[in-house]
Amino acid sequence: MKKASLFLLCTVLVLGISSALSAPVINTPETWDANLSGWSTDTPSGPGPSVAWGNTIGGANAVVFTFPDLGAGPPEFQDARVFATSAASGGNFVGDYSTGSLIVGFRFYADDYTTPSDTLSLFFYSSTGNRTWQYSLSGPATIDTWYNYSVGMGWSGGWSSPGAGQAEFNADLADVDQLGVWVFRSADL
């Protein structure tokens, strides 16, 4: 069985903030000590990996994506996401991210295989423009090691959404409805 284990420590850091709108709660880690705390999971491309909570890796709780062994044949694409909505963690991870220099961080652990570039993304969804934005990240280079990731929640060339640019990004950033991590895999891994 090939699987990737994902432990999110989503800590939002602020360098400057002032707004009357709802903003994410700053310096709030989610370690899923008791359960998924209202976080959602899905597999956007259809049936694929199972997503569960509770496995302990090195003393840390984790959300675990278990990708089935697809065997020989043409590569098949699979993906899975874990994300916060207003129902997750008291709504701490959604709201107005345009209010300052915010950074979202998380940790990722691959225990059976390494992931090449563009197989891991931070993403957010905004109902303002009905768009999902992704920031592609290089996957871990080695197995059995925690990797720390951090992404600035401001416009840069790393953020993409089909047919949208900086103006749309800034509008969507002011109303983030979902924030999470997206893991991709093809059978050739």
Side-chain angles (χ1 to χ4, degrees):
M1 237 350 138
K2 294 182 178 182
K3 65 181 180 179
S5 301
L6 172 71
F7 164 67
L8 277 183
L9 176 60
C10 283
T11 305
V12 181
L13 304 173
V14 67
L15 300 176
I17 187 167
S18 66
S19 174
L21 299 174
S22 172
V25 177
I26 307 308
N27 292 327
T28 304
E30 177 56 69
T31 56
W32 295 308
D33 291 333
N35 56 41
L36 278 174
S37 302
W39 286 60
S40 299
T41 62
D42 67 6
T43 54
S45 63
S50 63
V51 183
W53 166 85
N55 290 14
T56 302
I57 299 171
N61 290 320
V63 172
V64 179
F65 299 89
T66 304
F67 291 91
D69 187 356
L70 298 174
E76 292 181 38
F77 176 82
Q78 295 179 322
D79 62 343
R81 305 184 308 173
V82 58
F83 55 94
T85 65
S86 60
S89 305
N92 290 342
F93 296 96
V94 297
D96 184 357
Y97 277 81
S98 69
T99 58
S101 298
L102 301 175
I103 298 171
V104 175
F106 67 94
R107 298 179 73 202
F108 185 85
Y109 181 97
D111 71 348
D112 282 351
Y113 66 94
T114 59
T115 55
S117 61
D118 297 327
T119 58
L120 183 63
S121 292
L122 181 73
F123 82 94
F124 76 88
Y125 168 79
S126 174
S127 59
T128 297
N130 193 29
R131 280 182 286 271
T132 299
W133 290 88
Q134 288 181 256
Y135 192 99
S136 294
L137 301 160
S138 294
T142 59
I143 61 172
D144 298 328
T145 302
W146 284 104
Y147 283 83
N148 295 314
Y149 293 91
S150 54
V151 176
M153 294 296 287
W155 174 252
S156 76
W159 285 101
S160 64
S161 184
Q166 184 175 1
E168 293 85 1
F169 177 87
N170 289 334
D172 290 342
L173 195 62
D175 184 25
V176 173
D177 298 300
Q178 298 175 356
L179 174 70
V181 174
W182 204 334
V183 180
F184 306 90
R185 176 187 174 240
S186 65
D188 57 351
L189 293 178

